[in-house]
Amino acid sequence: MVQEYQSPVRVYKHPFELIMAAYVRRFPKSPLIPVFVDSEIVNETQSKDGSTVVTERRCMIDIEAPRLLKRIAGVDYLYFLQKNTLNHRDRTLHIEVRNETFSNRVIVYESCNYTVHPENEDWTCFEQTASLDIKSFFGFENSAEKIAMKQYASSIKKGKEMIEYYLRELEDEGVTYIPHWTPPVAPAAPRSIARPIPESSAQTGPDSTDADADAGADAEIVPGSPDDKLDADYIRRYLGDLTPLQESCLIRLRQWLQETHKGKIPKDQHVLRFLRARDFNMDKAREFLCQSLTWRKQHQVDFLLDTWERPQLLQDYYTGGWHHHDREGRPLYILRLGQMDTKGLVRALGEEGLLRQVLSINEEGLRRCEENTRVFGRPISCWTCLVDLEGLNMRHLWRPGVKALLRIIEVVEANYPETLGRLLILRAPRVSPLIDENTRKKFLVYAGNDYKDPGGLVDYIDNEIIPDFLRGDCMCDIPEGGVVPKSLYRTAEELESEENRLLTDSIYKCASIFKGAPYEMLIEITEASSVITWDFDVCKGDVHFNIYHSKRVPQPPKKDTLGAHGITSPGAVNAQMIDRNWVLGQDYSMVEKALICKEGESGSHVTRWPGCYILQWRFHSSPACSASSLPRVDDVLASLQVSSHKCKIMYYTEGSMTSLQSSHSGFSQLSAATTSSSQSHASSTVSR
């Protein structure tokens, strides 16, 4: 299996020429890297004008491996071939490294680039990638992989320290500025190449002042656009200390989102939470994240804080709210669960209202984490929740309320992983022995009033912000709750009609596509030059997508529509508009070229005639499933029942628009990014 690693972009706030002067001082060997025993130049060439220099070296490495492994392999040192291409004109250095030792058993490839910072020509960027493919290594493949990873992590750290060391050495020698390369006035005669840059060619630049240095130190790269890269300082400042493998996973997943996700990509902190929740397993984290992104898009969660207004009932009876922060700077949320009438809230609001309340709390928590990261100057990615259980009784164990709570927890776990840093449970019944040890590391349970004892609440929350209801001195602006009046209860019919609304009553509508039973959507156009736009994703299998026009109004299918051979088709419930007796080219016509879509498609169509337009999605069988001979009837009918012959779509009608310019869909699209998710969606819009 090929292991790939990628470091973040390291930014040196020094010009490229000065970085190169520091870089060449590491050869032929450097005391800063003891494992780098020696190196020799085996070939060196340059272009006619001297702008490009290609240097090939053979490097000797004393790898930190167990003595037994070295004896079995029969080597004390490893040899690598390094090829450096220095372009003075473009101010770039490209480094390629391949292993010479054991090249038939292990393939090691490393690529490094020094380039000028895209926004500041006096800064230099460094980026490093590596791949490791161990085919066989005397039965020690796992050990060799761990050793290689350790060496890679060490080289990243040592490489930065080495450049900074030699920069200080140059500065002590008075070298703080080296002019840019300029082409020679006349063709230069053949000459030997000077390896190190002589001190005589360096000079102290008049513009290199302390003020400039301070200004450069204060500047930082703020990622967010699809073309930017992650800087190592940014990772430490906003994301925390990550291992090289974790950094590599974050960068690779982020790049994948940039390539496949049409629209605004999630923030790095958001991506990192999903990676942590899956122990930095790329495939699992990507699937987990894409499912959540589809859910957020489907229910417009990104706009929840701006669009949803809390009902007055929640403002009066929901006993929870944000309250300062804990000792580590995490936002602190307090929930007086024992004072909350959970049964009354469920009966009055329904599960939908409580779920939206919890989602708004989580969205607000993410926003507060970002704010505290800026305020405290260190990464803060989760919050602390304090739950007061005083007053807890059997009323809180009402079955519908427990059911609603479990569903809410399920939604939160699926879309807000790694956001709860610590849970403090106060004045709890004596149930802590039932909690396993791993859970207790994050959940701190205190019975009675022992939370005031040493080692209790004050270890996590400053004394001055302990709420007044916990005998503290800080006023806590959280409703006291109370019993919800029964006059505010909704009827059972009202609650049932709203049940699961967050999953079904959104801007999207769902439909299934079966093999042999297409899904069709009718759009009636009264004026020519109207615009139809569509957007859909496919999560499983392939689909045919077509648009047809008909002057005749399709008749809805009868409920007793039968499939072939008189047996009800599983797709008969689909809204099929095209009559099976219609003839293509006579009764209706195709207005868009048929597309076979694996991931999805977005587009628009300007109508030429009024009438009925039909958007059609059909299940597409892969070529591997086709056969030269006709299958038996029983096999066809049986195949219709299996899940591999089924697709699901969701479509959305955006409303009328006035021009083609405005017909482009304004909501975020996932396109290929949602191929891993559990849903797919389609949208169609009409404008005149």
Side-chain angles (χ1 to χ4, degrees):
M1 180 178 178
V2 179
Q3 294 288 340
E4 296 181 351
Y5 312 101
Q6 181 167 346
S7 71
V9 176
R10 185 182 304 143
V11 177
Y12 296 102
K13 297 176 182 178
H14 299 277
F16 176 80
E17 288 72 20
L18 199 60
I19 295 297
M20 291 299 99
Y23 173 77
V24 298
R25 293 199 171 199
R26 65 174 292 179
F27 299 105
K29 58 182 179 180
S30 171
L32 298 179
I33 309 181
V35 297
F36 194 87
V37 179
D38 199 4
S39 65
E40 61 174 339
I41 295 178
V42 296
N43 187 36
E44 191 168 52
T45 60
Q46 72 172 8
S47 60
K48 291 183 178 181
D49 61 357
S51 62
T52 303
V53 180
V54 179
T55 306
E56 297 181 27
R57 293 184 176 88
R58 190 168 186 258
C59 306
M60 182 189 300
I61 307 295
D62 182 13
I63 192 168
E64 297 179 0
R67 190 67 183 174
L68 176 61
L69 187 57
K70 286 186 176 182
R71 291 183 62 183
I72 293 175
V75 297
D76 289 325
Y77 301 104
L78 300 181
Y79 290 91
F80 286 81
L81 299 179
Q82 182 191 73
K83 181 180 178 181
N84 292 0
T85 303
L86 174 61
N87 191 317
H88 293 290
R89 187 191 304 275
D90 296 337
R91 304 177 73 195
T92 62
L93 173 64
H94 178 64
I95 306 170
E96 291 183 82
V97 180
R98 300 178 185 274
N99 63 305
E100 183 182 47
T101 308
F102 302 124
S103 58
N104 61 331
R105 296 178 177 272
V106 180
I107 299 176
V108 178
Y109 175 76
E110 186 175 15
S111 175
C112 306
N113 288 286
Y114 286 90
T115 58
V116 177
H117 193 283
E119 298 178 2
N120 190 328
E121 64 176 8
D122 291 330
W123 291 357
T124 305
C125 294
F126 172 78
E127 190 171 8
Q128 182 179 19
T129 62
S131 64
L132 172 67
D133 184 7
I134 302 180
K135 301 182 181 299
S136 64
F137 200 75
F138 313 104
F140 290 89
E141 288 79 12
N142 291 335
S143 299
E145 184 176 317
K146 293 179 180 179
I147 293 172
M149 183 58 203
K150 181 180 179 181
Q151 292 291 130
Y152 176 73
S154 177
S155 68
I156 292 176
K157 183 178 180 181
K158 287 293 184 181
K160 180 180 181 181
E161 294 176 354
M162 179 191 63
I163 292 294
E164 292 174 345
Y165 173 83
Y166 288 122
L167 284 173
R168 290 192 297 269
E169 189 177 87
L170 287 170
E171 184 179 359
D172 293 340
E173 296 172 3
V175 181
T176 58
Y177 175 77
I178 297 176
H180 295 185
W181 178 88
T182 56
V185 177
R191 57 183 177 82
S192 61
I193 299 175
R195 307 281 193 273
I197 298 178
E199 295 183 12
S200 59
S201 66
Q203 60 184 13
T204 302
D207 297 329
S208 181
T209 62
D210 292 339
D212 291 336
D214 293 339
D218 291 337
E220 64 182 9
I221 300 174
V222 180
S225 66
D227 299 325
D228 64 356
K229 299 178 180 179
L230 290 181
D231 174 49
D233 293 336
Y234 160 80
I235 290 180
R236 287 191 297 271
R237 171 66 174 79
Y238 292 97
L239 306 179
D241 293 328
L242 304 175
T243 67
L245 180 59
Q246 292 171 344
E247 290 177 352
S248 177
C249 289
L250 172 61
I251 295 171
R252 287 160 55 199
L253 182 53
R254 188 176 185 272
Q255 289 176 341
W256 181 84
L257 288 170
Q258 290 174 340
E259 295 171 358
T260 59
H261 184 179
K262 298 178 181 179
K264 184 179 178 181
I265 65 173
K267 296 179 180 179
D268 298 325
Q269 295 90 334
H270 192 79
V271 177
L272 188 59
R273 288 187 180 97
F274 285 83
L275 281 167
R276 284 174 172 154
R278 291 297 180 263
D279 295 325
F280 288 88
N281 182 302
M282 275 284 294
D283 293 335
K284 293 182 180 179
R286 180 167 52 203
E287 180 181 2
F288 189 21
L289 176 59
C290 288
Q291 290 175 356
S292 179
L293 290 177
T294 303
W295 174 84
R296 294 182 67 88
K297 177 181 175 180
Q298 176 186 351
H299 304 296
Q300 300 290 287
V301 179
D302 289 338
F303 309 103
L304 182 63
L305 291 179
D306 299 325
T307 58
W308 186 62
E309 296 183 4
R310 293 177 65 214
Q312 187 63 42
L313 186 67
L314 282 174
Q315 299 181 34
D316 295 338
Y317 295 99
Y318 189 86
T319 56
W322 294 99
H323 180 76
H324 300 283
H325 55 79
D326 66 7
R327 289 184 178 271
E328 298 179 32
R330 297 168 173 170
L332 175 63
Y333 189 83
I334 295 179
L335 181 64
R336 302 186 66 180
L337 186 59
Q339 304 299 314
M340 185 182 298
D341 181 9
T342 54
K343 179 179 180 179
L345 288 175
V346 173
R347 288 294 305 272
L349 290 171
E351 187 178 332
E352 162 73 10
L354 283 180
L355 180 54
R356 289 195 177 274
Q357 166 70 1
V358 174
L359 294 182
S360 69
I361 293 171
N362 281 271
E363 290 296 306
E364 175 68 15
L366 295 177
R367 186 183 65 81
R368 288 175 177 263
C369 284
E370 293 181 10
E371 292 180 355
N372 286 17
T373 295
R374 292 190 292 268
V375 171
F376 292 97
R378 61 178 181 273
I380 296 175
S381 60
C382 53
W383 55 81
T384 293
C385 183
L386 187 154
V387 180
D388 181 19
L389 296 182
E390 185 182 41
L392 191 71
N393 53 46
M394 293 301 296
R395 186 181 182 88
H396 295 87
L397 300 180
W398 180 57
R399 187 175 180 83
V402 173
K403 178 183 176 182
L405 177 61
L406 293 176
R407 177 173 178 266
I408 290 173
I409 292 175
E410 182 180 353
V411 173
V412 171
E413 287 181 343
N415 299 283
Y416 300 93
E418 298 296 317
T419 53
L420 180 62
R422 180 177 291 118
L423 180 62
L424 303 171
I425 301 178
L426 305 185
R427 299 191 277 200
R430 298 285 181 176
V431 295
S432 58
L434 301 177
I435 301 177
D436 60 71
E437 185 62 27
N438 290 332
T439 305
R440 286 185 61 86
K441 294 178 181 178
K442 185 178 289 188
F443 290 15
L444 302 176
V445 183
Y446 301 94
N449 293 321
D450 58 359
Y451 64 89
K452 296 183 296 183
D453 299 335
L457 188 62
V458 292
D459 285 356
Y460 306 100
I461 300 176
D462 289 335
N463 262 317
E464 56 267 23
I465 67 168
I466 293 180
D468 50 351
F469 65 85
L470 294 176
R471 301 180 184 178
D473 298 328
C474 186
M475 296 298 297
C476 187
D477 188 19
I478 293 178
E480 295 185 0
V483 178
V484 177
K486 292 186 177 181
S487 59
L488 299 178
Y489 284 11
R490 297 187 182 186
T491 64
E493 291 75 13
E494 290 175 329
L495 292 175
E496 184 178 359
S497 65
E498 292 192 357
E499 187 174 0
N500 295 328
R501 187 206 294 179
L502 196 60
L503 295 179
T504 57
D505 186 13
S506 67
I507 61 176
Y508 296 97
K509 295 182 180 180
C510 301
S512 296
I513 304 173
F514 295 87
K515 186 176 182 180
Y519 180 82
E520 296 168 351
M521 177 180 178
L522 175 66
I523 300 176
E524 296 188 46
I525 300 296
T526 57
E527 297 179 6
S529 300
S530 297
V531 179
I532 300 173
T533 64
W534 62 87
D535 166 58
F536 65 92
D537 294 335
V538 181
C539 69
K540 180 181 180 182
D542 304 342
V543 297
H544 274 285
F545 175 71
N546 301 276
I547 298 182
Y548 299 98
H549 171 261
S550 173
K551 295 180 181 179
R552 299 167 56 182
V553 178
Q555 297 298 320
K558 297 180 180 180
K559 294 183 179 180
D560 59 348
T561 300
L562 298 181
H565 309 285
I567 299 178
T568 303
S569 167
V573 295
N574 284 359
Q576 299 182 40
M577 304 297 174
I578 299 178
D579 193 292
R580 67 176 59 192
N581 297 321
W582 284 10
V583 178
L584 183 64
Q586 296 181 9
D587 301 288
Y588 67 109
S589 60
M590 182 184 298
V591 297
E592 283 283 343
K593 184 179 179 181
L595 297 175
I596 299 177
C597 305
K598 297 182 179 181
E599 299 173 347
E601 192 68 32
S602 298
S604 62
H605 173 77
V606 181
T607 62
R608 296 180 60 185
W609 318 280
C612 299
Y613 286 81
I614 301 170
L615 279 64
Q616 183 193 76
W617 291 267
R618 288 190 296 111
F619 189 96
H620 171 65
S621 299
S622 60
C625 297
S626 61
S628 58
S629 60
L630 294 175
R632 295 185 301 110
V633 173
D634 293 342
D635 294 337
V636 173
L637 296 178
S639 67
L640 293 176
Q641 307 301 326
V642 299
S643 60
S644 60
H645 292 77
K646 175 182 176 182
C647 234
K648 177 175 281 188
I649 64 170
M650 295 190 303
Y651 61 90
Y652 160 63
T653 301
E654 192 171 348
S656 62
M657 290 171 285
T658 58
S659 68
L660 178 62
Q661 180 71 21
S662 64
S663 68
H664 297 290
S665 179
F667 54 83
S668 173
Q669 304 174 28
L670 291 180
S671 189
T674 55
T675 59
S676 307
S677 66
S678 61
Q679 300 279 350
S680 61
H681 69 271
S683 72
S684 59
T685 58
V686 182
S687 75
R688 298 178 179 177

PDB file of all heavy atoms in Angstrom, residues 277-291:
ATOM      1  N   ALA A 277     -12.692  12.658  14.504  1.00  0.00           N
ATOM      2  CA  ALA A 277     -13.752  11.722  14.878  1.00  0.00           C
ATOM      3  C   ALA A 277     -13.543  10.351  14.259  1.00  0.00           C
ATOM      4  O   ALA A 277     -14.092   9.360  14.753  1.00  0.00           O
ATOM      5  CB  ALA A 277     -15.114  12.277  14.453  1.00  0.00           C
ATOM      6  N   ARG A 278     -12.775  10.272  13.176  1.00  0.00           N
ATOM      7  CA  ARG A 278     -12.498   8.994  12.521  1.00  0.00           C
ATOM      8  C   ARG A 278     -11.020   8.636  12.619  1.00  0.00           C
ATOM      9  O   ARG A 278     -10.497   7.905  11.779  1.00  0.00           O
ATOM     10  CB  ARG A 278     -12.940   9.051  11.048  1.00  0.00           C
ATOM     11  CG  ARG A 278     -14.449   9.122  10.862  1.00  0.00           C
ATOM     12  CD  ARG A 278     -15.122   7.878  11.396  1.00  0.00           C
ATOM     13  NE  ARG A 278     -16.568   7.902  11.234  1.00  0.00           N
ATOM     14  CZ  ARG A 278     -17.419   8.267  12.182  1.00  0.00           C
ATOM     15  NH1 ARG A 278     -16.953   8.675  13.367  1.00  0.00           N
ATOM     16  NH2 ARG A 278     -18.723   8.236  11.971  1.00  0.00           N
ATOM     17  N   ASP A 279     -10.361   9.137  13.645  1.00  0.00           N
ATOM     18  CA  ASP A 279      -8.957   8.805  13.910  1.00  0.00           C
ATOM     19  C   ASP A 279      -8.080   9.033  12.681  1.00  0.00           C
ATOM     20  O   ASP A 279      -7.156   8.274  12.407  1.00  0.00           O
ATOM     21  CB  ASP A 279      -8.819   7.355  14.388  1.00  0.00           C
ATOM     22  CG  ASP A 279      -9.490   7.138  15.726  1.00  0.00           C
ATOM     23  OD1 ASP A 279      -9.468   8.064  16.556  1.00  0.00           O
ATOM     24  OD2 ASP A 279     -10.057   6.048  15.935  1.00  0.00           O
ATOM     25  N   PHE A 280      -8.393  10.082  11.924  1.00  0.00           N
ATOM     26  CA  PHE A 280      -7.619  10.504  10.750  1.00  0.00           C
ATOM     27  C   PHE A 280      -7.567   9.428   9.671  1.00  0.00           C
ATOM     28  O   PHE A 280      -6.610   9.351   8.912  1.00  0.00           O
ATOM     29  CB  PHE A 280      -6.216  10.941  11.154  1.00  0.00           C
ATOM     30  CG  PHE A 280      -6.204  12.260  11.869  1.00  0.00           C
ATOM     31  CD1 PHE A 280      -6.366  12.304  13.249  1.00  0.00           C
ATOM     32  CD2 PHE A 280      -6.061  13.442  11.179  1.00  0.00           C
ATOM     33  CE1 PHE A 280      -6.381  13.517  13.922  1.00  0.00           C
ATOM     34  CE2 PHE A 280      -6.076  14.657  11.844  1.00  0.00           C
ATOM     35  CZ  PHE A 280      -6.227  14.698  13.211  1.00  0.00           C
ATOM     36  N   ASN A 281      -8.621   8.610   9.617  1.00  0.00           N
ATOM     37  CA  ASN A 281      -8.788   7.705   8.487  1.00  0.00           C
ATOM     38  C   ASN A 281      -9.429   8.507   7.356  1.00  0.00           C
ATOM     39  O   ASN A 281     -10.587   8.920   7.448  1.00  0.00           O
ATOM     40  CB  ASN A 281      -9.672   6.517   8.880  1.00  0.00           C
ATOM     41  CG  ASN A 281      -9.845   5.512   7.765  1.00  0.00           C
ATOM     42  OD1 ASN A 281     -10.315   5.832   6.681  1.00  0.00           O
ATOM     43  ND2 ASN A 281      -9.471   4.267   8.041  1.00  0.00           N
ATOM     44  N   MET A 282      -8.679   8.714   6.270  1.00  0.00           N
ATOM     45  CA  MET A 282      -9.112   9.613   5.208  1.00  0.00           C
ATOM     46  C   MET A 282     -10.448   9.178   4.601  1.00  0.00           C
ATOM     47  O   MET A 282     -11.358   9.996   4.427  1.00  0.00           O
ATOM     48  CB  MET A 282      -8.037   9.687   4.129  1.00  0.00           C
ATOM     49  CG  MET A 282      -6.939  10.691   4.410  1.00  0.00           C
ATOM     50  SD  MET A 282      -7.506  12.376   4.118  1.00  0.00           S
ATOM     51  CE  MET A 282      -7.773  12.328   2.350  1.00  0.00           C
ATOM     52  N   ASP A 283     -10.577   7.920   4.246  1.00  0.00           N
ATOM     53  CA  ASP A 283     -11.783   7.458   3.569  1.00  0.00           C
ATOM     54  C   ASP A 283     -13.008   7.591   4.466  1.00  0.00           C
ATOM     55  O   ASP A 283     -14.067   8.074   4.033  1.00  0.00           O
ATOM     56  CB  ASP A 283     -11.612   6.005   3.125  1.00  0.00           C
ATOM     57  CG  ASP A 283     -10.552   5.847   2.048  1.00  0.00           C
ATOM     58  OD1 ASP A 283     -10.299   6.842   1.326  1.00  0.00           O
ATOM     59  OD2 ASP A 283      -9.961   4.759   1.934  1.00  0.00           O
ATOM     60  N   LYS A 284     -12.875   7.174   5.719  1.00  0.00           N
ATOM     61  CA  LYS A 284     -14.009   7.261   6.637  1.00  0.00           C
ATOM     62  C   LYS A 284     -14.367   8.711   6.944  1.00  0.00           C
ATOM     63  O   LYS A 284     -15.551   9.066   7.001  1.00  0.00           O
ATOM     64  CB  LYS A 284     -13.688   6.505   7.930  1.00  0.00           C
ATOM     65  CG  LYS A 284     -13.559   5.001   7.756  1.00  0.00           C
ATOM     66  CD  LYS A 284     -13.286   4.324   9.090  1.00  0.00           C
ATOM     67  CE  LYS A 284     -13.163   2.808   8.931  1.00  0.00           C
ATOM     68  NZ  LYS A 284     -12.880   2.144  10.224  1.00  0.00           N
ATOM     69  N   ALA A 285     -13.366   9.545   7.143  1.00  0.00           N
ATOM     70  CA  ALA A 285     -13.629  10.955   7.445  1.00  0.00           C
ATOM     71  C   ALA A 285     -14.287  11.651   6.257  1.00  0.00           C
ATOM     72  O   ALA A 285     -15.187  12.479   6.434  1.00  0.00           O
ATOM     73  CB  ALA A 285     -12.334  11.659   7.827  1.00  0.00           C
ATOM     74  N   ARG A 286     -13.836  11.325   5.046  1.00  0.00           N
ATOM     75  CA  ARG A 286     -14.411  11.957   3.854  1.00  0.00           C
ATOM     76  C   ARG A 286     -15.884  11.588   3.707  1.00  0.00           C
ATOM     77  O   ARG A 286     -16.734  12.445   3.428  1.00  0.00           O
ATOM     78  CB  ARG A 286     -13.625  11.525   2.623  1.00  0.00           C
ATOM     79  CG  ARG A 286     -14.142  12.118   1.316  1.00  0.00           C
ATOM     80  CD  ARG A 286     -13.135  11.900   0.216  1.00  0.00           C
ATOM     81  NE  ARG A 286     -12.737  10.504   0.133  1.00  0.00           N
ATOM     82  CZ  ARG A 286     -11.602  10.094  -0.411  1.00  0.00           C
ATOM     83  NH1 ARG A 286     -10.746  10.978  -0.898  1.00  0.00           N
ATOM     84  NH2 ARG A 286     -11.310   8.809  -0.475  1.00  0.00           N
ATOM     85  N   GLU A 287     -16.215  10.312   3.911  1.00  0.00           N
ATOM     86  CA  GLU A 287     -17.612   9.888   3.820  1.00  0.00           C
ATOM     87  C   GLU A 287     -18.451  10.542   4.912  1.00  0.00           C
ATOM     88  O   GLU A 287     -19.564  11.026   4.665  1.00  0.00           O
ATOM     89  CB  GLU A 287     -17.686   8.365   3.934  1.00  0.00           C
ATOM     90  CG  GLU A 287     -19.109   7.821   3.860  1.00  0.00           C
ATOM     91  CD  GLU A 287     -19.159   6.317   4.002  1.00  0.00           C
ATOM     92  OE1 GLU A 287     -18.077   5.699   4.191  1.00  0.00           O
ATOM     93  OE2 GLU A 287     -20.261   5.758   3.924  1.00  0.00           O
ATOM     94  N   PHE A 288     -17.916  10.571   6.127  1.00  0.00           N
ATOM     95  CA  PHE A 288     -18.603  11.178   7.264  1.00  0.00           C
ATOM     96  C   PHE A 288     -18.868  12.662   7.001  1.00  0.00           C
ATOM     97  O   PHE A 288     -19.984  13.171   7.205  1.00  0.00           O
ATOM     98  CB  PHE A 288     -17.726  10.986   8.504  1.00  0.00           C
ATOM     99  CG  PHE A 288     -18.377  11.366   9.803  1.00  0.00           C
ATOM    100  CD1 PHE A 288     -19.746  11.447   9.936  1.00  0.00           C
ATOM    101  CD2 PHE A 288     -17.592  11.640  10.924  1.00  0.00           C
ATOM    102  CE1 PHE A 288     -20.334  11.793  11.138  1.00  0.00           C
ATOM    103  CE2 PHE A 288     -18.166  11.983  12.132  1.00  0.00           C
ATOM    104  CZ  PHE A 288     -19.537  12.064  12.237  1.00  0.00           C
ATOM    105  N   LEU A 289     -17.862  13.366   6.500  1.00  0.00           N
ATOM    106  CA  LEU A 289     -17.988  14.797   6.244  1.00  0.00           C
ATOM    107  C   LEU A 289     -18.982  15.074   5.123  1.00  0.00           C
ATOM    108  O   LEU A 289     -19.804  15.994   5.225  1.00  0.00           O
ATOM    109  CB  LEU A 289     -16.614  15.377   5.901  1.00  0.00           C
ATOM    110  CG  LEU A 289     -16.574  16.860   5.508  1.00  0.00           C
ATOM    111  CD1 LEU A 289     -17.127  17.733   6.624  1.00  0.00           C
ATOM    112  CD2 LEU A 289     -15.149  17.280   5.161  1.00  0.00           C
ATOM    113  N   CYS A 290     -18.930  14.294   4.048  1.00  0.00           N
ATOM    114  CA  CYS A 290     -19.822  14.534   2.916  1.00  0.00           C
ATOM    115  C   CYS A 290     -21.282  14.304   3.290  1.00  0.00           C
ATOM    116  O   CYS A 290     -22.170  15.030   2.841  1.00  0.00           O
ATOM    117  CB  CYS A 290     -19.433  13.650   1.732  1.00  0.00           C
ATOM    118  SG  CYS A 290     -17.910  14.170   0.922  1.00  0.00           S
ATOM    119  N   GLN A 291     -21.536  13.311   4.132  1.00  0.00           N
ATOM    120  CA  GLN A 291     -22.902  13.097   4.610  1.00  0.00           C
ATOM    121  C   GLN A 291     -23.399  14.314   5.380  1.00  0.00           C
ATOM    122  O   GLN A 291     -24.541  14.750   5.207  1.00  0.00           O
ATOM    123  CB  GLN A 291     -22.947  11.855   5.488  1.00  0.00           C
ATOM    124  CG  GLN A 291     -22.763  10.550   4.738  1.00  0.00           C
ATOM    125  CD  GLN A 291     -22.693   9.348   5.661  1.00  0.00           C
ATOM    126  OE1 GLN A 291     -22.712   9.506   6.883  1.00  0.00           O
ATOM    127  NE2 GLN A 291     -22.602   8.163   5.089  1.00  0.00           N
TER     128      GLN A 291
END
